[in-house]
Amino acid sequence: MNLLSTATSEDERRRAAPVAVLPVGSFEQHGAFLPLATDSVVACAIAERITAAYDLFLLPPVTISCSHEHSAWPGTVSISHTTLTAMINDVFTSLRRSGVERLALVNGHGGNYVLSNIVQEANAAGPVMTLFPARDDWNAARQAAGLTSDGHADMHAGELEVSLLRHVAPEMLRPGVETSDHQADDRNLLLVHGMAGYTKSGVIGMPSAGTADKGRMILDSLVDTFKAHLDALTATG
């Protein structure tokens, strides 16, 4: 997979895509066996697949976002929610100047709560932006791929993320996947204590259950469920 599009200006002139796709990842700890860039890799993998399937305009990723809950671990870098909001709004403004009136945000980091507010505000006068995958999209992908864990138990650096990286970038995985499962289902004060209040390793989930086949089926499902988002942005009348 490519983290950056290799398209030229002429490619995009020919494509004249009605929707641009912006991957939003993060740079944060994912245990000892997944890279800091995991969420960016995930967002780019999803964005790459859906832009290829629907012939859309693939943008370069936002690779640092709101990862403050992971600040106890070395390597984690965050920006403020106001900075992320400004970046998204600036990108959208620039796209509209060049004639692209719709934007799909592909979010790879669950802690980017502010993206929901950005999309809500953008759509106040009509559908121009979507946030993907939504919770239902992830749930459908988990079911389609036969994941053994749900989205609550498998919160971070678990079965889903390991499966996706085993499929798209297996060379990025380090030793420790099979021995790092950790459960912390009661996380009511996560926003107060951060991840460090619930895990020493940085993992909450079942990484040992991740497989490349599951990763492939997750992406296949997400390509299918994105169609509803695209239809909502491009419907006329």
Side-chain angles (χ1 to χ4, degrees):
M1 62 163 291
N2 295 316
L3 291 179
L4 294 175
S5 170
T6 59
T8 67
S9 179
E10 287 305 309
D11 291 334
E12 297 309 329
R13 187 190 308 276
R14 173 199 59 77
R15 194 188 321 276
V19 176
V21 178
L22 178 63
V24 182
S26 73
F27 200 74
E28 66 186 37
Q29 71 83 20
H30 277 77
F33 50 84
L34 289 177
L36 294 162
T38 292
D39 289 343
S40 296
V41 174
V42 167
C44 286
I46 298 168
E48 188 175 58
R49 284 290 306 275
I50 63 178
T51 54
Y54 299 103
D55 200 25
L56 304 177
F57 179 17
L58 177 61
L59 298 171
V62 176
T63 57
I64 299 177
S65 59
C66 301
S67 300
H68 309 282
E69 72 273 27
H70 298 274
S71 60
W73 283 269
T76 297
V77 180
S78 292
I79 56 178
S80 71
H81 70 92
T82 53
T83 298
L84 183 57
T85 298
M87 291 173 67
I88 302 299
N89 287 335
D90 282 354
V91 168
F92 193 34
T93 298
S94 180
L95 285 167
R96 297 183 111 172
R97 288 193 188 114
S98 64
V100 181
E101 297 289 338
R102 305 289 186 269
L103 177 62
L105 304 178
V106 173
N107 181 35
H109 172 46
N112 285 332
Y113 310 115
V114 69
L115 296 182
S116 296
N117 298 114
I118 295 171
V119 172
Q120 286 176 326
E121 185 174 341
N123 291 328
V128 295
M129 192 182 295
T130 192
L131 180 58
F132 182 78
R135 180 175 297 180
D136 286 347
D137 302 312
W138 280 125
N139 289 341
R142 285 180 175 276
Q143 183 174 4
L147 268 63
T148 60
S149 55
D150 63 26
H152 179 76
D154 193 55
M155 175 198 179
H156 188 71
E159 182 180 11
L160 184 141
E161 290 184 314
V162 167
S163 294
L164 286 169
L165 263 72
R166 283 199 186 281
H167 176 55
V168 302
E171 71 282 359
M172 292 187 178
L173 275 78
R174 304 284 184 89
V177 177
E178 304 298 335
T179 58
S180 297
D181 293 357
H182 175 69
Q183 292 182 310
D185 290 341
D186 182 5
R187 307 188 300 268
N188 290 335
L189 295 176
L190 179 67
L191 294 180
V192 176
H193 299 302
M195 288 285 290
Y198 300 95
T199 173
K200 292 181 179 180
S201 67
V203 176
I204 297 178
M206 302 287 290
S208 67
T211 71
D213 280 345
K214 291 176 182 177
R216 174 182 54 79
M217 289 186 283
I218 289 167
L219 286 178
D220 288 345
S221 175
L222 292 174
V223 169
D224 291 340
T225 58
F226 181 73
K227 179 67 162 52
H229 292 257
L230 182 60
D231 287 347
L233 288 181
T234 57
T236 58

